[in-house]
Amino acid sequence: MPATLKDVAERAGVSIKTVSNVVNGYAFITDATRERVQRAIAETGYRPNLGARNLRKGRTGFIVLAVPELDNPYFAELTGLVITAAHRRQWTVLVEQTQGSREREQAVITSMGPQRIDAAILSPLAMEPDDLLSADPATPLVLLGERDIPGPADHVAIDNVAAARTVVEHLIGIGRRRIAVIGDQPGKNGGTAALRTAGHRQALDAAGIPYDPALVVPVENYQRADGAEAMAHLLQLPEPPDAVFCCNDLLAIGAMRAGAERGVSIPTQVAIAGFDDIAEGSYSLPSLTTIAPDKAAIAEAAVDLADRRVDPIRGGRGEKGSEPEDVRAPFALKVRESTAGAVR
């Protein structure tokens, strides 16, 4: 027969209420009592009924995380970090893949409801501000990434313009002047491409380097094949670039492959840098210089915002009904072999 709160209380020599307080994480318990109760829980094999606990708190115990592509290493890594952060708060994460489709992003927010989930975390690519009108106001929503959509939702991202400017300034600092950018998406609404290409141009302008639209290559998707195709195009120009900033690491890895196939020395002839700091970039040959968003900080901030909206006890700025928050996570430039030692 499964152990009960009463069994734990008897073994620990405390009241059932004290055991309940320890199980539910209340702060006003002495360390000695908490340790005694936890030891009794381990000895009896007691397992809390999370469903019943959540019902008492008015929670379902589930949150939704919706990302564009799980086969993109950046989103795969971020998903793992969100699950870890949510688990510490006793949430189960339901993961949805939207493929960057506006319809599927809309479906996520229209299916939200306090009877189904406690909160939703969404990384949108195609959503428009009016789409938020269909979201259930009783269910907290946190938006991730570059799509800064005005409305009743919290937002977590890095400063993409500043990050792109930082990596292009690095390329300028190693003596490069014909700096291409792979990743423009003029047919799509704002987002990653607009912000990161803006940072590229700001760095050029600040250094007095003329902007050459021929060095700005659009892509349909942010995948390796798109980067390879764009790099092949750049290398065929009458005056090829001496550096390439790619708007994500997958594009950069594809670009390096295309360069290597054509006998281009990286970084001696062409320096290449990416964005996202996926694990693959550390092991590519050469290893990839990149912008590293603090993915752990992004995940923690998103889950914390959702938690504070759901739990009125924590209150503060995160309480339901308060103004939405815009959190900026840190980033860092990681200089590796694809640009290191390439000063001209």
Side-chain angles (χ1 to χ4, degrees):
M1 184 175 179
T4 65
L5 282 176
K6 182 179 179 182
D7 297 329
V8 176
E10 289 177 352
R11 183 174 289 265
V14 298
S15 68
I16 293 176
K17 179 63 175 176
T18 297
V19 175
S20 178
N21 287 342
V22 171
V23 169
N24 287 286
Y26 287 99
F28 303 108
I29 303 290
T30 66
D31 290 342
T33 299
R34 188 181 305 279
E35 290 175 8
R36 191 160 70 250
V37 170
Q38 289 172 339
R39 186 165 56 250
I41 288 173
E43 291 171 352
T44 60
Y46 173 72
R47 293 291 180 268
N49 186 330
L50 295 180
R53 185 198 308 174
N54 286 326
L55 285 174
R56 288 194 297 272
K57 290 183 176 181
R59 298 172 62 158
T60 67
F62 295 99
I63 62 172
V64 166
L65 171 66
V67 297
E69 301 168 307
L70 284 170
D71 61 353
N72 182 315
Y74 173 82
F75 290 114
E77 292 171 21
L78 183 63
T79 295
L81 291 165
V82 168
I83 290 172
T84 298
H87 185 261
R88 289 199 301 271
R89 294 165 175 83
Q90 299 175 344
W91 260 325
T92 296
V93 179
L94 308 176
V95 179
E96 177 65 34
Q97 181 174 249
T98 66
Q99 298 291 348
S101 159
R102 184 180 180 189
E103 290 73 23
R104 293 178 72 170
E105 291 172 359
Q106 287 175 318
V108 170
I109 63 173
T110 55
S111 65
M112 297 188 324
Q115 296 80 25
R116 301 183 183 93
I117 60 171
D118 294 325
I121 299 171
L122 169 65
S123 180
L125 292 184
M127 180 181 290
E128 298 292 340
D130 288 348
D131 296 338
L132 289 180
L133 299 176
S134 59
D136 188 330
T139 305
L141 174 64
V142 181
L143 301 179
L144 301 180
E146 296 79 13
R147 292 288 290 163
D148 190 357
I149 303 172
D154 295 311
H155 179 226
V156 182
I158 68 168
D159 186 335
N160 277 269
V161 175
R165 188 171 63 242
T166 296
V167 70
V168 176
E169 287 171 347
H170 164 67
L171 295 171
I172 294 169
I174 61 173
R176 303 311 165 101
R177 291 298 179 268
R178 284 186 57 77
I179 302 173
V181 57
I182 294 175
D184 192 23
Q185 293 186 313
K188 297 187 178 181
N189 297 323
T192 300
L195 296 173
R196 295 180 187 176
T197 56
H200 165 260
R201 184 157 189 174
Q202 284 184 12
L204 297 182
D205 291 345
I209 298 174
Y211 175 78
D212 184 351
L215 295 178
V216 180
V217 186
V219 296
E220 181 64 28
N221 298 299
Y222 275 23
Q223 296 292 337
R224 300 168 187 84
D226 300 273
E229 182 178 351
M231 186 67 172
H233 166 77
L234 287 168
L235 294 175
Q236 291 171 356
L237 293 176
E239 194 176 350
D242 57 10
V244 180
F245 163 51
C246 299
C247 287
N248 83 344
D249 284 352
L250 293 182
L251 291 172
I253 289 167
M256 289 199 296
R257 173 74 186 195
E261 288 176 343
R262 289 159 178 79
V264 174
S265 175
I266 302 169
T268 305
Q269 291 174 268
V270 182
I272 296 180
F275 201 116
D276 282 346
D277 191 32
I278 63 174
E280 185 177 344
S282 299
Y283 294 93
S284 62
L285 188 64
S287 57
L288 180 63
T289 291
T290 187
I291 287 291
D294 190 334
K295 293 187 279 286
I298 292 170
E300 190 66 31
V303 175
D304 185 64
L305 283 167
D307 191 43
R308 286 191 282 129
R309 296 288 182 190
V310 170
D311 191 347
I313 294 175
R314 298 186 61 188
R317 294 181 63 207
E319 189 174 7
K320 285 184 180 179
S322 65
E323 289 298 312
E325 293 191 42
D326 189 4
V327 176
R328 283 288 178 262
F331 66 86
L333 173 66
K334 291 195 174 181
V335 178
R336 299 194 180 108
E337 295 165 346
S338 66
T339 67
V343 178
R344 285 185 171 181

